[in-house]
Structure formats: structure tokens, C-alpha cells
Amino acid sequence: MSFEEELEQIDREEWLSRFDDRQVMMAARMFLEWLYHLPDDWQPKEYTEFTL
């Protein structure tokens, strides 16, 4: 495994560790379900920034 691949693996593990919290996991699941059910031609009218 190259150095870059190791860094990507570490970043991936750190990102996935955020989902150890049940509330974060449920919020992410609800967002993904909402995203899945959007019409194909949907265009956003406003943009919201979410931070943890």
C-alpha cells in the first residue's frame, strides 16, 4: 500500500468514526432517504451549510 493509499484509508476511517454516534447516524440516514426520494429534475433554491 502506498503512502497516499494509507492516508486515504486513515481519512476514510476518521470519517466513518463520526457515525459511531447514533444521533449522527440517524441524521445521515434521514438525509440520504430524503435525497433518494427527490425528483430527478429538482433544483435547490437555497443552500444551507451544515457543520459538526
Side-chain angles (χ1 to χ4, degrees):
M1 184 180 290
S2 72
F3 182 71
E4 289 82 13
E5 290 173 336
E6 288 182 34
L7 284 178
E8 287 178 13
Q9 179 67 25
I10 291 169
D11 287 342
R12 190 176 307 115
E13 289 173 3
E14 288 176 358
W15 186 81
L16 287 172
S17 72
R18 295 178 184 167
F19 293 92
D20 287 343
D21 184 350
R22 182 172 166 79
Q23 289 181 324
V24 172
M25 186 174 59
M26 292 302 292
R29 180 180 177 188
M30 286 190 293
F31 174 73
L32 291 174
E33 285 179 6
W34 171 79
L35 196 61
Y36 177 77
H37 292 288
L38 284 177
D40 291 337
D41 60 349
W42 183 80
Q43 292 292 320
K45 296 183 177 115
E46 296 179 12
Y47 293 91
T48 304
E49 182 178 329
F50 295 97
T51 58
L52 294 175

